[in-house]
């Protein structure tokens, strides 16, 4: 990957509702960090868009750009990824954020409460619609059922080259742990990988990208 520019996103977005609380998810960033490290070890110029919620040590020889919200990540992607040779979007991005952010702490009252939510930008969809042929777009897909069917829909709807899909309910897959069980979905095939470390899964993703591009 020497001479190639790769952008990787990792970790969970955080969407504030007041100065005390935010909406987020269980992503640790481990999968994205593993992809960034693998790209660096293979010689790429790597930019890692990393959630400020990630507590992982920085990846050496990789430029790290922090983000907090989906809107921040959208800006970072537009700044860093439009001319990339490949983008691997491992970040777990909120689909909704609180419609308003209270300036002061929201106090409790008797009875129920609800939070009005508004849609965030689908960053990968935007990229798929505004891509240059040059940039290989790899998304991730987190599902709990109909993994391949739902993930293939994302490949098509977002105009991607590959989706690395995983089922959060499968032992050893998904958030938190050091392993994953991925299915790599492309236009022509579905490759189911066995349980392996996130480092090895990252290498498999790169191997697949190399077979599908003229890198
Ligand atoms: N993604 C994105 N922008 C969003 C939401 C998701 O770019 N607002 C990206 C993720 O980084 C991931 C891919 O889209 O690479 C799929 O994310 P996922 O959460 O699995 O699916 P969604 O498209 O959000 O669909 P749903 O939540 O309905 O499953």
């Amino acid at each position: 990957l020497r001479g190639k520019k790769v952008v990787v996103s990792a970790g969970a977005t955080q969407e504030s509702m007041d100065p005390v609380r935010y909406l987020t998810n269980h992503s640790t960033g481990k999968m994205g960090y593993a992809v960034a490290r693998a790209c660096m070890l293979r010689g790429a110029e790597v930019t890692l868009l990393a959630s400020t919620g990630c507590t992982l040590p920085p990846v050496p020889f990789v430029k790290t750009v922090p983000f907090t919200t989906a809107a921040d990540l959208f800006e970072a992607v537009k700044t860093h990824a439009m001319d990339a040779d490949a983008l691997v979007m491992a970040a777990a991005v909120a689909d909704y954020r609180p419609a308003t952010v209270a300036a002061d702490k929201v106090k409790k009252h008797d009875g129920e409460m609800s939070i009005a939510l508004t849609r965030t930008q689908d960053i990968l969809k935007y990229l798929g619609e505004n891509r240059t042929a040059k940039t290989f777009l790899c998304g991730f897909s987190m599902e709990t059922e109909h993994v391949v069917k739902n993930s293939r829909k994302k490949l098509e709807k977002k105009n991607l080259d590959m989706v690395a899909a995983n089922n959060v309910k499968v032992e050893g897959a998904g958030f938190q742990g050091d392993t994953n069980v991925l299915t790599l979905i492309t236009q022509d095939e579905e490759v189911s990988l066995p349980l392996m470390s996130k480092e090895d899964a990252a290498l498999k993703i790169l191997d697949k990208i190399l077979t599908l591009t003229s890198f």
Side-chain angles (χ1 to χ4, degrees):
L1 293 177
R2 182 160 301 178
K4 298 295 169 193
K5 184 176 168 186
V6 182
V7 177
V8 183
S9 70
T13 51
Q14 298 177 343
E15 305 292 339
S16 288
M17 60 169 277
D18 72 9
V20 181
R21 299 133 174 146
Y22 56 80
L23 300 179
T24 189
N25 60 69
H26 293 295
S27 173
T28 58
K30 281 180 187 170
M31 192 64 241
Y33 272 60
V35 172
R37 174 179 288 275
C39 291
M40 177 277 289
L41 290 171
R42 288 190 178 185
E45 180 199 323
V46 186
T47 302
L48 175 61
L49 312 177
S51 166
T52 48
C54 288
T55 55
L56 302 167
V59 185
F61 310 113
V62 162
K63 177 179 174 178
T64 302
V65 175
F67 69 86
T68 300
T69 64
D72 294 343
L73 180 56
F74 186 40
E75 288 309 311
V77 161
K78 283 189 290 186
T79 304
H80 298 282
M82 299 313 275
D83 67 339
D85 294 291
L87 170 71
V88 181
M89 193 76 176
V93 186
D95 294 317
Y96 297 89
R97 62 178 166 77
T100 55
V101 182
D104 294 301
K105 185 184 174 191
V106 175
K107 301 298 287 178
K108 66 175 166 296
H109 301 283
D110 291 340
E112 295 180 355
M113 79 94 80
S114 58
I115 306 166
L117 299 176
T118 186
R119 278 289 302 272
T120 57
Q121 174 77 41
D122 189 325
I123 300 166
L124 262 187
K125 188 158 178 282
Y126 172 90
L127 288 169
E129 285 164 358
N130 295 280
R131 61 186 294 173
T132 61
K134 176 193 169 198
T135 309
F136 186 96
L137 290 181
C138 174
F140 270 73
S141 174
M142 181 65 82
E143 294 286 347
T144 57
E145 54 180 357
H146 312 303
V147 177
V148 171
K149 189 168 152 243
N150 288 347
S151 302
R152 183 165 286 289
K153 273 193 206 152
K154 292 176 200 175
L155 181 87
E156 278 150 24
K157 201 170 152 204
K158 304 192 193 207
N159 192 22
L160 307 178
D161 298 298
M162 181 159 82
V163 169
N166 54 169
N167 183 342
V168 75
K169 286 187 174 171
V170 166
E171 183 77 27
F175 298 124
Q176 313 281 350
D178 293 319
T179 59
N180 212 344
V181 184
L182 292 178
T183 302
L184 303 184
I185 300 171
T186 55
Q187 202 58 52
D188 300 329
E189 60 176 355
E190 282 134 24
V191 178
S192 295
L193 302 175
L195 176 84
M196 61 181 73
S197 68
K198 285 183 174 171
E199 276 68 30
D200 284 344
L203 292 172
K204 294 283 185 198
I205 289 169
L206 293 194
D207 287 344
K208 194 68 185 163
I209 293 176
L210 286 170
T211 66
L212 293 167
T213 59
S214 53
F215 291 179

